Amino acid sequence: MRELPKIISVDDHVTEPATVWTDRLPKKYHDVGPRIERLPVKEMTFIGGKFTAVPGAKGDEGPLADWWFYEDLRRPLTRLDTAVGFDRDEVTVTGITYDEMRQGSYKLKERLDDMDVAGIEASLCFPTFPRFCGQTFYEAQDKELAMLGVHAYNDWMHDEWCGESGGRMLPLGLIPLWDPQAAADEIRRNAARGFRAVAFSEIPSNLNLPSIHDADGYWLPFFEACNETGTVICMHIGSGSKMPSTSPDAPAAVGSTLTFANCCFSMVDWLMSGHFTKFPDLKIAYSEGQIGWIPYILERADRVWEDNRGWGGIADKVLEPPSQLFKKHVYGCFFDDPHGLRSLVEIGEDNVTYECDYPHSDSTWPHTAKIAHEQTLGLTDEQVYKVLRGNAIKMLGITHLK
């Protein structure tokens, strides 16, 4: 059995401890800022991709859950947030408390122990309560408080989750999506203290934000800051708050099968945007997007670039074939895609990174290293190193790991 390199996972998740914001926000915001209340579950449904939850009152009967309260938002922790440790059939849209979940979901020492079990040396974690790119703060009414909430999350990420991990947790920042200049300022503030990744929406227009093609250049300050600082724009599936499906009444399993679709659409957006011409050092990554779909899209995009660029609106800004831009600027991220690995030569062995997705229901934990071994049997030692470790080091500019 081939000895694998220690894995660097570029997509995991953290369930924020209850005091992230109450420890950092001014006291005047403690009654409206993010905070945890333990209350019964009065109602919880997940139908057609729409999640509804209503807490009961203290003293009411019923199962308890820990709820995030923020302005008018009432959002419970669920087993979907922290599914590891439960049998697959027990992973349902059910409320949960911190006591009931696997402790590595929110406690650093326990997370590092769980990483050791799975052969993972380092991990990049997306948020839970703020959602994948900070949509919770974007949707909030009080934008002054929301800005403080973004800063508080990034400070906690730097000081505690990563700062106390001995370099094993890799910082991923949030930005205020509603203010691109403030977003650029936050990119530079974070880059100065070691952040090399930021969460962003794969399709901002799904959030009623300007698209990356915006004629007025809404996102340009943010893109420029990322280009300048070497900050990778990481776009997790669902970071547009809209998952692909076929119909409103389709079961959730349909959307779960199609999660790669938003990444596919988004990558074409970026390849045809001209931003890689304007920002030659900009890098993007598709977290949890899988990789098997990439060869066809690159082949099709190249053909469109050859045949249709005259009338397609890209002749003056997309100056290279999209497949070449992909090689220079884009990383695919996967956790369980043997088909994609069989297509590695077509995708590019320098453009693929690995994930564990702890503690979500798709996670390969605790068998991450075993699955990685099985699925990389057809690769060379050099390819295995790149996919499981080396490409992540390159993508994130990691200097403390070899």
Side-chain angles (χ1 to χ4, degrees), residues 367-394:
H367 307 298
T368 308
K370 177 178 181 292
I371 292 171
H373 168 74
E374 292 170 351
Q375 294 189 355
T376 60
L377 286 174
L379 305 185
T380 67
D381 288 349
E382 181 181 8
Q383 289 172 328
V384 170
Y385 174 80
K386 287 181 177 181
V387 168
L388 299 186
R389 185 177 180 86
N391 289 340
I393 290 174
K394 180 184 65 171

Side-chain angles (χ1 to χ4, degrees), residues 290-307:
Q290 310 300 351
I291 58 174
W293 51 272
I294 292 175
Y296 169 73
I297 289 299
L298 293 181
E299 186 177 84
R300 176 59 184 162
D302 277 0
R303 179 52 60 90
V304 169
W305 183 82
E306 286 282 358
D307 295 346

Side-chain angles (χ1 to χ4, degrees), residues 95-401:
I96 197 172
T97 67
Y98 284 102
D99 300 330
E100 295 169 320
M101 69 178 65
R102 189 165 186 86
Q103 299 297 282
S105 298
Y106 72 102
K107 290 183 178 178
L108 179 59
K109 180 185 179 302
E110 286 80 355
R111 172 63 68 91
L112 296 177
D113 290 343
D114 281 352
M115 288 163 60
D116 289 339
V117 168
I120 298 169
E121 181 174 17
S123 168
L124 185 79
C125 290
F126 282 81
T128 298
F129 169 72
R131 312 219 302 274
F132 292 146
C133 68
Q135 300 102 300
T136 298
F137 295 116
Y138 163 64
E139 294 168 358
Q141 299 172 20
D142 185 338
K143 286 300 188 284
E144 180 181 354
L145 172 57
M147 188 76 76
L148 292 173
V150 169
H151 291 166
Y153 178 86
N154 290 338
D155 290 345
W156 168 80
M157 172 65 62
H158 174 266
D159 297 342
E160 294 187 25
W161 190 247
C162 297
E164 298 176 4
S165 72
R168 295 187 64 185
M169 308 309 295
L170 308 171
L172 174 75
L174 296 179
I175 56 167
L177 294 162
W178 61 94
D179 187 334
Q181 186 54 60
D185 294 341
E186 188 66 0
I187 289 295
R188 293 186 174 98
R189 181 176 86 99
N190 287 333
R193 53 184 180 166
F195 285 65
R196 290 296 178 266
V198 62
F200 187 59
S201 173
E202 79 259 272
I203 305 178
S205 58
N206 282 347
L207 299 175
N208 295 317
L209 284 162
S211 80
I212 66 169
H213 307 291
D214 180 56
D216 294 326
Y218 179 88
W219 295 109
L220 291 184
F222 167 61
F223 295 159
E224 182 178 6
C226 292
N227 182 71
E228 169 195 317
T229 59
T231 300
V232 181
I233 298 174
C234 297
M235 293 170 281
H236 195 284
I237 57 166
S239 55
S241 295
K242 184 179 180 181
M243 295 298 285
S245 192
T246 55
S247 60
D249 55 352
V254 173
S256 185
T257 303
L258 297 173
T259 53
F260 73 92
N262 281 355
C263 297
C264 174
F265 298 160
S266 173
M267 192 176 81
V268 176
D269 245 3
W270 276 90
L271 293 176
M272 301 301 188
S273 70
H275 291 313
F276 295 140
T277 301
K278 187 175 182 64
F279 302 113
D281 296 322
L282 196 61
K283 302 291 191 296
I284 65 173
Y286 286 102
S287 307
E288 205 173 319
Q290 310 300 351
I291 58 174
W293 51 272
I294 292 175
Y296 169 73
I297 289 299
L298 293 181
E299 186 177 84
R300 176 59 184 162
D302 277 0
R303 179 52 60 90
V304 169
W305 183 82
E306 286 282 358
D307 295 346
N308 301 334
R309 64 178 181 267
W311 61 265
I314 61 171
D316 61 343
K317 60 185 180 182
V318 182
L319 307 182
E320 301 176 66
S323 60
Q324 294 303 309
L325 294 175
F326 174 87
K327 289 180 180 178
K328 296 176 182 179
H329 299 276
V330 184
Y331 288 90
C333 313
F334 81 101
F335 59 86
D336 186 6
D337 188 352
H339 171 77
L341 285 178
R342 291 194 296 271
S343 306
L344 187 63
V345 172
E346 297 176 75
I347 299 167
E349 63 186 44
D350 296 319
N351 296 81
V352 171
T353 57
Y354 200 62
E355 312 171 338
C356 172
D357 197 30
Y358 181 109
H360 284 182
S361 59
D362 273 332
S363 177
T364 57
W365 188 90
H367 307 298
T368 308
K370 177 178 181 292
I371 292 171
H373 168 74
E374 292 170 351
Q375 294 189 355
T376 60
L377 286 174
L379 305 185
T380 67
D381 288 349
E382 181 181 8
Q383 289 172 328
V384 170
Y385 174 80
K386 287 181 177 181
V387 168
L388 299 186
R389 185 177 180 86
N391 289 340
I393 290 174
K394 180 184 65 171
M395 179 179 87
L396 297 170
I398 300 170
T399 58
H400 65 280
L401 302 174

